[in-house]
PDB file of all heavy atoms in Angstrom:
ATOM      1  N   PHE A 614     -31.268  14.887 -12.941  1.00 97.00           N
ATOM      2  CA  PHE A 614     -32.389  15.138 -12.033  1.00 97.00           C
ATOM      3  C   PHE A 614     -32.912  16.549 -12.211  1.00 97.00           C
ATOM      4  O   PHE A 614     -32.327  17.358 -12.986  1.00 97.00           O
ATOM      5  CB  PHE A 614     -31.961  14.922 -10.562  1.00 97.00           C
ATOM      6  CG  PHE A 614     -30.784  15.786 -10.129  1.00 97.00           C
ATOM      7  CD1 PHE A 614     -30.980  17.026  -9.571  1.00 97.00           C
ATOM      8  CD2 PHE A 614     -29.478  15.306 -10.255  1.00 97.00           C
ATOM      9  CE1 PHE A 614     -29.906  17.800  -9.158  1.00 97.00           C
ATOM     10  CE2 PHE A 614     -28.410  16.058  -9.822  1.00 97.00           C
ATOM     11  CZ  PHE A 614     -28.629  17.312  -9.302  1.00 97.00           C
ATOM     12  N   ALA A 637     -35.274  23.547 -12.776  1.00 97.00           N
ATOM     13  CA  ALA A 637     -33.952  23.428 -13.409  1.00 97.00           C
ATOM     14  C   ALA A 637     -33.643  21.965 -13.648  1.00 97.00           C
ATOM     15  O   ALA A 637     -33.927  21.099 -12.807  1.00 97.00           O
ATOM     16  CB  ALA A 637     -32.878  24.044 -12.520  1.00 97.00           C
ATOM     17  N   ILE A 638     -33.076  21.659 -14.827  1.00 98.00           N
ATOM     18  CA  ILE A 638     -32.597  20.316 -15.138  1.00 98.00           C
ATOM     19  C   ILE A 638     -31.094  20.281 -14.912  1.00 98.00           C
ATOM     20  O   ILE A 638     -30.365  21.179 -15.349  1.00 98.00           O
ATOM     21  CB  ILE A 638     -32.908  19.939 -16.592  1.00 98.00           C
ATOM     22  CG1 ILE A 638     -34.415  19.855 -16.831  1.00 98.00           C
ATOM     23  CG2 ILE A 638     -32.263  18.620 -16.968  1.00 98.00           C
ATOM     24  CD1 ILE A 638     -34.802  19.656 -18.264  1.00 98.00           C
ATOM     25  N   ARG A 639     -30.633  19.252 -14.212  1.00 97.00           N
ATOM     26  CA  ARG A 639     -29.203  19.062 -13.980  1.00 97.00           C
ATOM     27  C   ARG A 639     -28.805  17.701 -14.501  1.00 97.00           C
ATOM     28  O   ARG A 639     -29.376  16.657 -14.087  1.00 97.00           O
ATOM     29  CB  ARG A 639     -28.907  19.128 -12.469  1.00 97.00           C
ATOM     30  CG  ARG A 639     -27.436  18.972 -12.054  1.00 97.00           C
ATOM     31  CD  ARG A 639     -26.648  20.183 -12.420  1.00 97.00           C
ATOM     32  NE  ARG A 639     -25.424  20.292 -11.641  1.00 97.00           N
ATOM     33  CZ  ARG A 639     -24.276  20.782 -12.142  1.00 97.00           C
ATOM     34  NH1 ARG A 639     -24.224  21.158 -13.402  1.00 97.00           N
ATOM     35  NH2 ARG A 639     -23.209  20.913 -11.366  1.00 97.00           N
ATOM     36  N   ALA A 640     -27.877  17.647 -15.421  1.00 97.00           N
ATOM     37  CA  ALA A 640     -27.343  16.381 -15.947  1.00 97.00           C
ATOM     38  C   ALA A 640     -25.825  16.540 -16.063  1.00 97.00           C
ATOM     39  O   ALA A 640     -25.340  17.483 -16.685  1.00 97.00           O
ATOM     40  CB  ALA A 640     -27.965  16.066 -17.297  1.00 97.00           C
ATOM     41  N   VAL A 641     -25.076  15.622 -15.457  1.00 96.00           N
ATOM     42  CA  VAL A 641     -23.622  15.740 -15.462  1.00 96.00           C
ATOM     43  C   VAL A 641     -22.965  14.408 -15.807  1.00 96.00           C
ATOM     44  O   VAL A 641     -23.490  13.336 -15.585  1.00 96.00           O
ATOM     45  CB  VAL A 641     -23.090  16.222 -14.081  1.00 96.00           C
ATOM     46  CG1 VAL A 641     -23.638  17.565 -13.718  1.00 96.00           C
ATOM     47  CG2 VAL A 641     -23.407  15.196 -12.994  1.00 96.00           C
ATOM     48  N   SER A 642     -21.754  14.532 -16.357  1.00 93.00           N
ATOM     49  CA  SER A 642     -20.906  13.361 -16.579  1.00 93.00           C
ATOM     50  C   SER A 642     -19.751  13.448 -15.597  1.00 93.00           C
ATOM     51  O   SER A 642     -19.234  14.510 -15.317  1.00 93.00           O
ATOM     52  CB  SER A 642     -20.372  13.347 -18.024  1.00 93.00           C
ATOM     53  OG  SER A 642     -19.685  14.550 -18.304  1.00 93.00           O
ATOM     54  N   ALA A 649     -16.986  17.093 -12.074  1.00 87.00           N
ATOM     55  CA  ALA A 649     -18.071  16.740 -12.979  1.00 87.00           C
ATOM     56  C   ALA A 649     -18.225  17.837 -14.027  1.00 87.00           C
ATOM     57  O   ALA A 649     -17.968  19.029 -13.778  1.00 87.00           O
ATOM     58  CB  ALA A 649     -19.373  16.535 -12.238  1.00 87.00           C
ATOM     59  N   ASP A 650     -18.691  17.449 -15.200  1.00 92.00           N
ATOM     60  CA  ASP A 650     -18.944  18.426 -16.271  1.00 92.00           C
ATOM     61  C   ASP A 650     -20.407  18.316 -16.677  1.00 92.00           C
ATOM     62  O   ASP A 650     -21.001  17.224 -16.657  1.00 92.00           O
ATOM     63  CB  ASP A 650     -18.038  18.128 -17.478  1.00 92.00           C
ATOM     64  CG  ASP A 650     -18.034  19.262 -18.471  1.00 92.00           C
ATOM     65  OD1 ASP A 650     -18.470  20.374 -18.110  1.00 92.00           O
ATOM     66  OD2 ASP A 650     -17.573  19.062 -19.615  1.00 92.00           O
ATOM     67  N   TRP A 651     -21.011  19.448 -17.016  1.00 95.00           N
ATOM     68  CA  TRP A 651     -22.412  19.417 -17.435  1.00 95.00           C
ATOM     69  C   TRP A 651     -22.538  18.653 -18.768  1.00 95.00           C
ATOM     70  O   TRP A 651     -21.692  18.772 -19.644  1.00 95.00           O
ATOM     71  CB  TRP A 651     -23.005  20.820 -17.521  1.00 95.00           C
ATOM     72  CG  TRP A 651     -22.347  21.743 -18.526  1.00 95.00           C
ATOM     73  CD1 TRP A 651     -21.240  22.484 -18.313  1.00 95.00           C
ATOM     74  CD2 TRP A 651     -22.808  22.045 -19.840  1.00 95.00           C
ATOM     75  NE1 TRP A 651     -20.946  23.224 -19.427  1.00 95.00           N
ATOM     76  CE2 TRP A 651     -21.900  22.985 -20.397  1.00 95.00           C
ATOM     77  CE3 TRP A 651     -23.861  21.612 -20.610  1.00 95.00           C
ATOM     78  CZ2 TRP A 651     -22.033  23.482 -21.680  1.00 95.00           C
ATOM     79  CZ3 TRP A 651     -23.999  22.117 -21.916  1.00 95.00           C
ATOM     80  CH2 TRP A 651     -23.093  23.039 -22.423  1.00 95.00           C
ATOM     81  N   ALA A 652     -23.577  17.862 -18.880  1.00 96.00           N
ATOM     82  CA  ALA A 652     -23.744  17.015 -20.034  1.00 96.00           C
ATOM     83  C   ALA A 652     -24.289  17.791 -21.232  1.00 96.00           C
ATOM     84  O   ALA A 652     -25.216  18.584 -21.096  1.00 96.00           O
ATOM     85  CB  ALA A 652     -24.702  15.867 -19.690  1.00 96.00           C
ATOM     86  N   LYS A 653     -23.693  17.554 -22.371  1.00 96.00           N
ATOM     87  CA  LYS A 653     -24.120  18.216 -23.624  1.00 96.00           C
ATOM     88  C   LYS A 653     -25.241  17.398 -24.246  1.00 96.00           C
ATOM     89  O   LYS A 653     -25.069  16.756 -25.293  1.00 96.00           O
ATOM     90  CB  LYS A 653     -22.944  18.373 -24.600  1.00 96.00           C
ATOM     91  CG  LYS A 653     -22.005  19.531 -24.245  1.00 96.00           C
ATOM     92  CD  LYS A 653     -21.226  19.293 -22.959  1.00 96.00           C
ATOM     93  CE  LYS A 653     -20.185  20.402 -22.723  1.00 96.00           C
ATOM     94  NZ  LYS A 653     -19.485  20.213 -21.429  1.00 96.00           N
ATOM     95  N   LEU A 654     -26.410  17.419 -23.625  1.00 97.00           N
ATOM     96  CA  LEU A 654     -27.545  16.683 -24.142  1.00 97.00           C
ATOM     97  C   LEU A 654     -28.052  17.320 -25.432  1.00 97.00           C
ATOM     98  O   LEU A 654     -27.985  18.543 -25.601  1.00 97.00           O
ATOM     99  CB  LEU A 654     -28.680  16.634 -23.105  1.00 97.00           C
ATOM    100  CG  LEU A 654     -28.375  15.906 -21.782  1.00 97.00           C
ATOM    101  CD1 LEU A 654     -29.586  15.997 -20.871  1.00 97.00           C
ATOM    102  CD2 LEU A 654     -28.002  14.456 -22.052  1.00 97.00           C
ATOM    103  N   HIS A 656     -30.234  19.138 -28.126  1.00 97.00           N
ATOM    104  CA  HIS A 656     -31.255  20.189 -27.989  1.00 97.00           C
ATOM    105  C   HIS A 656     -32.647  19.616 -28.190  1.00 97.00           C
ATOM    106  O   HIS A 656     -33.609  20.011 -27.517  1.00 97.00           O
ATOM    107  CB  HIS A 656     -31.008  21.310 -28.972  1.00 97.00           C
ATOM    108  CG  HIS A 656     -29.779  22.100 -28.657  1.00 97.00           C
ATOM    109  ND1 HIS A 656     -29.368  23.189 -29.392  1.00 97.00           N
ATOM    110  CD2 HIS A 656     -28.862  21.979 -27.672  1.00 97.00           C
ATOM    111  CE1 HIS A 656     -28.260  23.674 -28.889  1.00 97.00           C
ATOM    112  NE2 HIS A 656     -27.929  22.956 -27.824  1.00 97.00           N
ATOM    113  N   LEU A 659     -33.691  17.928 -24.928  1.00 97.00           N
ATOM    114  CA  LEU A 659     -34.004  18.938 -23.917  1.00 97.00           C
ATOM    115  C   LEU A 659     -35.339  19.602 -24.228  1.00 97.00           C
ATOM    116  O   LEU A 659     -36.139  19.887 -23.320  1.00 97.00           O
ATOM    117  CB  LEU A 659     -32.876  19.975 -23.839  1.00 97.00           C
ATOM    118  CG  LEU A 659     -31.590  19.516 -23.202  1.00 97.00           C
ATOM    119  CD1 LEU A 659     -30.506  20.566 -23.374  1.00 97.00           C
ATOM    120  CD2 LEU A 659     -31.760  19.187 -21.725  1.00 97.00           C
ATOM    121  N   VAL A 677     -35.277  25.467 -17.108  1.00 97.00           N
ATOM    122  CA  VAL A 677     -33.920  25.955 -17.449  1.00 97.00           C
ATOM    123  C   VAL A 677     -32.938  24.789 -17.325  1.00 97.00           C
ATOM    124  O   VAL A 677     -33.204  23.804 -16.632  1.00 97.00           O
ATOM    125  CB  VAL A 677     -33.475  27.122 -16.534  1.00 97.00           C
ATOM    126  CG1 VAL A 677     -34.420  28.319 -16.712  1.00 97.00           C
ATOM    127  CG2 VAL A 677     -33.476  26.698 -15.069  1.00 97.00           C
ATOM    128  N   TYR A 678     -31.793  24.896 -18.007  1.00 98.00           N
ATOM    129  CA  TYR A 678     -30.787  23.858 -17.970  1.00 98.00           C
ATOM    130  C   TYR A 678     -29.515  24.356 -17.329  1.00 98.00           C
ATOM    131  O   TYR A 678     -28.990  25.422 -17.711  1.00 98.00           O
ATOM    132  CB  TYR A 678     -30.512  23.369 -19.406  1.00 98.00           C
ATOM    133  CG  TYR A 678     -29.643  22.108 -19.477  1.00 98.00           C
ATOM    134  CD1 TYR A 678     -29.988  20.978 -18.764  1.00 98.00           C
ATOM    135  CD2 TYR A 678     -28.506  22.060 -20.274  1.00 98.00           C
ATOM    136  CE1 TYR A 678     -29.215  19.832 -18.810  1.00 98.00           C
ATOM    137  CE2 TYR A 678     -27.714  20.922 -20.337  1.00 98.00           C
ATOM    138  CZ  TYR A 678     -28.085  19.812 -19.608  1.00 98.00           C
ATOM    139  OH  TYR A 678     -27.318  18.669 -19.657  1.00 98.00           O
ATOM    140  N   ASP A 679     -29.019  23.626 -16.346  1.00 97.00           N
ATOM    141  CA  ASP A 679     -27.824  24.023 -15.583  1.00 97.00           C
ATOM    142  C   ASP A 679     -26.572  23.644 -16.375  1.00 97.00           C
ATOM    143  O   ASP A 679     -26.311  22.476 -16.642  1.00 97.00           O
ATOM    144  CB  ASP A 679     -27.856  23.274 -14.250  1.00 97.00           C
ATOM    145  CG  ASP A 679     -26.718  23.667 -13.313  1.00 97.00           C
ATOM    146  OD1 ASP A 679     -25.758  24.307 -13.785  1.00 97.00           O
ATOM    147  OD2 ASP A 679     -26.800  23.307 -12.124  1.00 97.00           O
ATOM    148  N   ILE A 680     -25.786  24.658 -16.753  1.00 96.00           N
ATOM    149  CA  ILE A 680     -24.555  24.400 -17.508  1.00 96.00           C
ATOM    150  C   ILE A 680     -23.306  24.742 -16.680  1.00 96.00           C
ATOM    151  O   ILE A 680     -22.345  25.286 -17.178  1.00 96.00           O
ATOM    152  CB  ILE A 680     -24.543  25.152 -18.864  1.00 96.00           C
ATOM    153  CG1 ILE A 680     -24.686  26.655 -18.659  1.00 96.00           C
ATOM    154  CG2 ILE A 680     -25.632  24.627 -19.771  1.00 96.00           C
ATOM    155  CD1 ILE A 680     -24.412  27.464 -19.913  1.00 96.00           C
ATOM    156  N   SER A 681     -23.337  24.361 -15.388  1.00 93.00           N
ATOM    157  CA  SER A 681     -22.239  24.634 -14.484  1.00 93.00           C
ATOM    158  C   SER A 681     -21.459  23.329 -14.227  1.00 93.00           C
ATOM    159  O   SER A 681     -22.057  22.279 -14.052  1.00 93.00           O
ATOM    160  CB  SER A 681     -22.740  25.174 -13.154  1.00 93.00           C
ATOM    161  OG  SER A 681     -23.624  26.252 -13.351  1.00 93.00           O
ATOM    162  N   SER A 682     -20.155  23.431 -14.185  1.00 91.00           N
ATOM    163  CA  SER A 682     -19.309  22.275 -13.895  1.00 91.00           C
ATOM    164  C   SER A 682     -18.913  22.254 -12.417  1.00 91.00           C
ATOM    165  O   SER A 682     -19.047  23.253 -11.707  1.00 91.00           O
ATOM    166  CB  SER A 682     -18.062  22.280 -14.769  1.00 91.00           C
ATOM    167  OG  SER A 682     -18.395  22.187 -16.133  1.00 91.00           O
ATOM    168  N   LYS A 683     -18.419  21.131 -11.941  1.00 90.00           N
ATOM    169  CA  LYS A 683     -17.894  21.003 -10.594  1.00 90.00           C
ATOM    170  C   LYS A 683     -16.399  20.732 -10.656  1.00 90.00           C
ATOM    171  O   LYS A 683     -15.998  19.694 -11.218  1.00 90.00           O
ATOM    172  CB  LYS A 683     -18.569  19.859  -9.842  1.00 90.00           C
ATOM    173  CG  LYS A 683     -17.977  19.609  -8.430  1.00 90.00           C
ATOM    174  CD  LYS A 683     -18.554  18.393  -7.782  1.00 90.00           C
ATOM    175  CE  LYS A 683     -17.919  18.197  -6.409  1.00 90.00           C
ATOM    176  NZ  LYS A 683     -18.421  17.004  -5.692  1.00 90.00           N
ATOM    177  N   PRO A 684     -15.538  21.570 -10.024  1.00 80.00           N
ATOM    178  CA  PRO A 684     -15.897  22.859  -9.486  1.00 80.00           C
ATOM    179  C   PRO A 684     -16.100  23.892 -10.626  1.00 80.00           C
ATOM    180  O   PRO A 684     -15.797  23.552 -11.767  1.00 80.00           O
ATOM    181  CB  PRO A 684     -14.642  23.205  -8.650  1.00 80.00           C
ATOM    182  CG  PRO A 684     -13.513  22.469  -9.321  1.00 80.00           C
ATOM    183  CD  PRO A 684     -14.116  21.240  -9.885  1.00 80.00           C
ATOM    184  N   PRO A 685     -16.614  25.071 -10.333  1.00 84.00           N
ATOM    185  CA  PRO A 685     -16.855  25.678  -9.010  1.00 84.00           C
ATOM    186  C   PRO A 685     -18.186  25.273  -8.384  1.00 84.00           C
ATOM    187  O   PRO A 685     -18.359  25.446  -7.203  1.00 84.00           O
ATOM    188  CB  PRO A 685     -16.839  27.163  -9.315  1.00 84.00           C
ATOM    189  CG  PRO A 685     -17.390  27.264 -10.711  1.00 84.00           C
ATOM    190  CD  PRO A 685     -16.852  26.056 -11.433  1.00 84.00           C
ATOM    191  N   SER A 686     -19.135  24.792  -9.177  1.00 89.00           N
ATOM    192  CA  SER A 686     -20.416  24.407  -8.570  1.00 89.00           C
ATOM    193  C   SER A 686     -20.321  22.997  -8.007  1.00 89.00           C
ATOM    194  O   SER A 686     -19.348  22.271  -8.234  1.00 89.00           O
ATOM    195  CB  SER A 686     -21.502  24.414  -9.663  1.00 89.00           C
ATOM    196  OG  SER A 686     -21.614  25.671 -10.264  1.00 89.00           O
ATOM    197  N   THR A 687     -21.321  22.578  -7.222  1.00 89.00           N
ATOM    198  CA  THR A 687     -21.431  21.198  -6.801  1.00 89.00           C
ATOM    199  C   THR A 687     -22.438  20.504  -7.715  1.00 89.00           C
ATOM    200  O   THR A 687     -23.118  21.169  -8.509  1.00 89.00           O
ATOM    201  CB  THR A 687     -21.920  21.096  -5.325  1.00 89.00           C
ATOM    202  OG1 THR A 687     -23.116  21.818  -5.195  1.00 89.00           O
ATOM    203  CG2 THR A 687     -20.876  21.624  -4.374  1.00 89.00           C
ATOM    204  N   ILE A 688     -22.521  19.199  -7.649  1.00 92.00           N
ATOM    205  CA  ILE A 688     -23.505  18.481  -8.497  1.00 92.00           C
ATOM    206  C   ILE A 688     -24.909  18.782  -8.028  1.00 92.00           C
ATOM    207  O   ILE A 688     -25.745  19.226  -8.792  1.00 92.00           O
ATOM    208  CB  ILE A 688     -23.213  16.958  -8.501  1.00 92.00           C
ATOM    209  CG1 ILE A 688     -21.859  16.678  -9.148  1.00 92.00           C
ATOM    210  CG2 ILE A 688     -24.342  16.230  -9.252  1.00 92.00           C
ATOM    211  CD1 ILE A 688     -21.452  15.204  -9.151  1.00 92.00           C
ATOM    212  N   TRP A 690     -27.712  20.942  -5.888  1.00 94.00           N
ATOM    213  CA  TRP A 690     -27.825  22.386  -5.702  1.00 94.00           C
ATOM    214  C   TRP A 690     -27.719  22.787  -4.202  1.00 94.00           C
ATOM    215  O   TRP A 690     -27.451  23.940  -3.886  1.00 94.00           O
ATOM    216  CB  TRP A 690     -29.166  22.891  -6.252  1.00 94.00           C
ATOM    217  CG  TRP A 690     -29.112  23.117  -7.742  1.00 94.00           C
ATOM    218  CD1 TRP A 690     -28.528  22.345  -8.684  1.00 94.00           C
ATOM    219  CD2 TRP A 690     -29.617  24.266  -8.435  1.00 94.00           C
ATOM    220  NE1 TRP A 690     -28.658  22.893  -9.944  1.00 94.00           N
ATOM    221  CE2 TRP A 690     -29.343  24.071  -9.817  1.00 94.00           C
ATOM    222  CE3 TRP A 690     -30.346  25.398  -8.070  1.00 94.00           C
ATOM    223  CZ2 TRP A 690     -29.716  24.996 -10.789  1.00 94.00           C
ATOM    224  CZ3 TRP A 690     -30.723  26.306  -9.036  1.00 94.00           C
ATOM    225  CH2 TRP A 690     -30.396  26.107 -10.387  1.00 94.00           C
TER     226      TRP A 690
END
Side-chain angles (χ1 to χ4, degrees):
F614 57 90
I638 295 173
R639 181 72 158 145
V641 299
S642 56
D650 194 15
W651 61 277
K653 282 68 175 177
L654 296 179
H656 292 181
L659 288 172
V677 298
Y678 190 52
D679 184 346
I680 57 169
S681 310
S682 297
K683 176 187 179 180
S686 303
T687 54
I688 295 177
W690 277 44

